[in-house]
């Protein structure tokens, strides 16, 4: 008899905890990619889940070692021409890789100047990170991954020439396995977003590839007051009211990164 196979992250997303995380991430990543334009968009990994559904780039494809990817390849060695992709999405690829730095280097290589990178990850400075550190089932998904803090990720991106231009934490409820309790604890989303924004179980950040001496004019994310507040956009020169809104959003992102930095220094 063969030993039972370990579950995959895609299978974990079908559990109550996974559905809770996936529902939040679909909204955040969808908002992050919906107004990124160009000709080619790439999702690395998790081909069972389409995180590019809200994007309108005509040629969208997935790359990775799993069945279902249009390009079967190692994420650390993509068979894609340098500077040919406008958007790259990395949904929980880094924390489950033995070489996350190389995956980021590949993402930087294939992206065009001013191309956008969207990363989703589990936050180690959260109740989810505490369960991973203190739990007994470290071999199971997603606890077997190496959770990467936002400060650490920001430093990696900065070394590669990326600039963060949006980010948000979410999933403040404890990682309980019962769907009923997750629904009952949904009130923590608004409270956590206001009072302890760096303690969300997961995060989604967007970064732009900067090239010295080059700055392209790119469209901003849409702002719709009737929708749930999502990733904080970068402040730009606009009419005064819009400038004030963007400044508050940018301050929120600085609060997230600064608070994360203080939390990791204390840790």
């Amino acid at each position: 008899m063969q030993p039972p196979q370990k579950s995959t992250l895609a299978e974990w997303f079908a559990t109550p905890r996974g559905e809770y995380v996936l529902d939040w991430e679909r909204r955040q990543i969808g908002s992050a990619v919906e107004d990124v334009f160009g000709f080619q968009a790439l999702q690395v990994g998790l081909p069972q889940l389409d995180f590019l559904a809200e994007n309108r780039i005509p040629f969208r494809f997935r790359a990775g070692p799993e069945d279902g990817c249009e390009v079967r390849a190692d994420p650390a060695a993509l068979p894609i021409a340098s500077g040919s992709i406008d958007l790259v999405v990395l949904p929980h690829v880094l924390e489950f890789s033995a070489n996350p730095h190389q995956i980021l280097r590949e993402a930087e290589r294939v992206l065009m100047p001013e191309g956008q990178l969207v990363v989703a990850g589990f936050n180690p400075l959260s109740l989810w990170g505490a369960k991973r550190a203190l739990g007994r089932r470290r071999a199971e998904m997603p606890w077997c991954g190496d959770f990467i803090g936002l400060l650490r990720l920001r430093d990696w991106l900065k070394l590669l020439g990326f600039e963060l231009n949006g980010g948000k934490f979410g999933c403040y409820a404890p990682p309980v396995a019962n769907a009923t309790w997750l629904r009952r604890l949904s009130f923590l989303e608004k409270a956590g977003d206001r009072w302890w924004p760096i303690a969300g179980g997961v995060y989604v950040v967007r970064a732009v590839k900067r090239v010295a001496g080059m700055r392209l004019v790119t469209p901003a994310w849409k702002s719709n007051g009737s929708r749930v507040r999502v990733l904080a956009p970068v402040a730009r020169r606009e009419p005064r009211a819009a400038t004030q809104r963007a400044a508050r959003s940018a301050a929120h992102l600085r609060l997230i990164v600064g608070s994360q930095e203080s939390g990791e220094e204390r840790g």
Side-chain angles (χ1 to χ4, degrees), residues 39-139:
F39 297 98
Q40 298 191 90
L42 168 65
Q43 174 183 318
V44 179
L46 287 177
Q48 304 89 342
L49 304 171
D50 186 5
F51 289 104
L52 294 171
E54 298 299 321
N55 183 260
R56 289 172 284 179
I57 288 176
F59 185 54
R60 305 186 299 269
F61 65 103
R62 286 158 289 192
E66 307 99 326
D67 292 336
C69 290
E70 288 83 0
V71 177
R72 295 289 296 274
D74 182 351
L78 296 171
I80 298 173
S82 300
S84 62
I85 306 296
D86 300 279
L87 168 66
V88 174
V89 177
L90 301 178
H92 297 285
V93 178
L94 302 179
E95 60 257 64
F96 298 101
S97 168
N99 196 352
H101 309 83
Q102 180 58 30
I103 292 177
L104 282 177
R105 282 193 288 267
E106 277 295 275
E108 187 277 335
R109 181 185 66 81
V110 302
L111 273 171
M112 299 179 63
E114 301 295 312
Q116 302 286 336
L117 173 68
V118 177
V119 180
F122 290 100
N123 178 23
L125 298 181
S126 67
L127 293 175
W128 293 67
K131 178 175 176 59
R132 176 188 177 275
L134 303 175
R136 299 177 181 178
R137 300 181 176 181
R138 290 283 296 274

Side-chain angles (χ1 to χ4, degrees), residues 113-114 209-216:
E114 301 295 312
K209 177 182 175 179
R210 298 299 190 196
V211 176
M214 177 180 295
R215 188 174 183 98
L216 304 178

